[in-house]
Every structure is written in C-alpha cells, then in structure tokens.
Amino acid sequence: ETGVTQTPRHLVMGMTNKKSLKCEQHLGHNAMYWYKQSAKKPLELMFVYSLEERVENNSVPSRFSPECPNSSHLFLHLHTLQPEDSALYLCASSQVVRGGTDTQYFGPGTRLTVL
Amino acid sequence: SQQGEEDPQALSIQEGENATMNCSYKTSINNLQWYRQNSGRGLVHLILIRSNEREKHSGRLRVTLDTSKKSSSLLITASRAADTASYFCATDNQAGTALIFGKGTTLSVSS
C-alpha cells in the first residue's frame, strides 16, 4: 500500500463513451502525475500538476482531459477514445523539492480497454 | 529527451544468483532513481541516488552511479523468486518537474 489509490482498477469502454479515472493520495504531497504504460513501451508522462497547477502536458490528445481540484485528488476524463488508447494508466504523487524530482509514489493503476 | 536506457532488456537467473542491471542516460542529472514493477501493477520506489553519491545500499540492493559515464547499475544479491519483476531507472526531465523512465529490464528468477 503506497498511499495512492486509483479507481476503477479495470475499465472497458466503447469509443463513444465518456468515463473518468480517479486518483487520490494520502501522503500530503503537492504534486501529482498521470502516466500511460502501453505494452513494450516506456512509461509516458501525460500530465503533471504541481501545487494544483498544470505544469506539463506532453502533447497529449485532447480526448484526455485532466482535472486537479485539490492537492489530494486527480482525475483523468476520457472521451471518444481510440483502441490504441488501451493501456495501464498510472497515477503518482510526490513532494516537490529543490534540486530535482523526489521519490514518486504510484497507485496500482487502471487497466483501460477501449473497444 | 533525457531517457534512461536499461540493459539488458531481459534477464533470467536462478535463485541465489546475483542480478545486475544497467542504466545509461543522456544529460546531467540531479538524481537517479530505481523502481520495480510487478506484472500489471504500479511502480514501487527502490532507491534514489544523488549526483554527488557514487554508491548506495538498501538491503540486498546496491546501486552505483558514474556521472562521468552517465550510467548507473542496480545489483540485487542472492536473488529470490519474489524478485521477479520489471526494473526501471528514472531521471529528472530538464525542467525538473517530472521523471523520465526507461523501458526497463524484465528479471525472471526461477527456483
């Protein structure tokens, strides 16, 4: 148990559906992240929120929409996804520090399948 | 991009043997981290080594860092079947706002 929870753990959706992934951290951290992990590819950073402001968006398609209402919660809203978006979506949190990126704590992930 | 590259991609050993994984990166770093991932699960932080450190230990793990060669190694001693997992190195992105992960080394330990 890392202190980061994600729901749902598994999600199957059609290309026309709208769904949301939820992440919650209980560690008092001030930064949260969304990563995408596809088979045989490195983890891809999608979004970074630091102090509740989005600081990084790695050219992610607009069908993925993040929301960070407070430092403990992070959402990823999904709409009109494509089958190639099927992947494991991982949330992480950390404490922003000077001198580099500190340890990140990951949730268990949401396994997304787009039909 | 400042991506770590692990080597080898896959490693199979017997229980009790040592496992060594290597990571190379491209630009200067503040720190380098190693993570472990069991199949289909989240990543778990193993160890962080700062750029001014050369070696760090944690239990059966030993990490070295050579900033002149831009490389790091992770040694797992006396491996166990439970060490079977994927291992990733990660470095800061240039803005210092996030980590960039390599593709990982898949370790299989058989009993």
Side-chain angles (χ1 to χ4, degrees), chain A residues 17-18 24 28 35 39 51 69 74 81 83 89-90 93:
Chain A
N17 291 161
K18 288 185 180 181
E24 185 172 357
Y35 289 90
L51 301 171
L74 184 65
L81 295 191
Y89 288 84
L90 292 163
S93 71

Side-chain angles (χ1 to χ4, degrees), chain A residues 2 9 33 35 37 40-43 45 48 55-56 88 90 99-104 106-109 111, chain B residues 3 30-31 33 35 37 40-45 48 50 88 92-93 95-103:
Chain A
T2 62
R9 295 292 307 278
Y33 312 80
Y35 289 90
Q37 187 177 34
K40 312 251 185 244
K41 293 174 81 173
L43 261 73
L45 177 66
V48 178
V55 297
E56 187 125 0
L88 182 68
L90 292 163
T101 304
D102 207 357
T103 300
Q104 292 191 2
F106 284 80
R111 173 67 63 187
Chain B
Q3 182 183 35
N30 292 303
N31 61 57
Q33 304 184 38
Y35 288 80
Q37 184 182 33
R41 307 292 298 276
L43 278 71
V44 175
H45 178 257
L48 180 153
R50 303 203 181 278
F88 298 87
D92 295 63
N93 64 356
T97 54
L99 293 176
I100 304 296
F101 288 81
K103 292 182 181 179

Side-chain angles (χ1 to χ4, degrees), chain B residues 7 26 30 33 36 39 45 53 58 60 69 75 81-82 90 93 96 102-103 110:
Chain B
D7 170 60
K26 296 176 183 174
N30 292 303
Q33 304 184 38
R36 163 197 168 124
S39 180
H45 178 257
E53 297 175 308
S58 177
R60 292 183 296 113
K69 295 182 180 177
L75 169 68
N93 64 356
K103 292 182 181 179
S110 53

Side-chain angles (χ1 to χ4, degrees), chain B:
Chain B
S1 70
Q2 195 166 337
Q3 182 183 35
E5 292 285 343
E6 292 91 345
D7 170 60
Q9 288 189 333
L11 181 61
S12 293
I13 59 174
Q14 297 284 112
E15 264 193 326
E17 294 180 338
N18 295 342
T20 299
M21 289 158 264
N22 303 297
C23 169
S24 59
Y25 56 92
K26 296 176 183 174
T27 60
S28 62
I29 59 171
N30 292 303
N31 61 57
L32 184 143
Q33 304 184 38
W34 285 91
Y35 288 80
R36 163 197 168 124
Q37 184 182 33
N38 288 84
S39 180
R41 307 292 298 276
L43 278 71
V44 175
H45 178 257
L46 294 177
I47 200 162
L48 180 153
I49 186 165
R50 303 203 181 278
S51 59
N52 60 355
E53 297 175 308
R54 291 296 167 259
E55 188 170 311
K56 206 160 182 181
H57 296 256
S58 177
R60 292 183 296 113
L61 306 180
R62 173 180 168 247
V63 167
T64 62
L65 179 64
D66 186 334
T67 52
S68 65
K69 295 182 180 177
K70 293 187 171 57
S71 68
S72 174
S73 67
L74 170 66
L75 169 68
I76 304 174
T77 60
S79 62
R80 306 165 182 168
D83 294 327
T84 295
S86 293
Y87 293 82
F88 298 87
C89 69
T91 56
D92 295 63
N93 64 356
Q94 288 197 325
T97 54
L99 293 176
I100 304 296
F101 288 81
K103 292 182 181 179
T105 292
T106 300
L107 174 66
S108 177
V109 182
S110 53
S111 53

Side-chain angles (χ1 to χ4, degrees), chain A residues 13-15 36-39 41 44 46 60-61 63-64 78 80-89 111-115:
Chain A
M13 59 187 289
M15 289 191 285
K36 175 184 178 182
Q37 187 177 34
S38 305
K41 293 174 81 173
E44 299 173 55
M46 300 177 73
V60 177
R63 56 186 184 270
F64 295 92
L78 316 171
T80 59
L81 295 191
Q82 305 298 310
E84 60 263 30
D85 296 323
S86 298
L88 182 68
Y89 288 84
R111 173 67 63 187
L112 173 67
T113 303
V114 181
L115 302 176

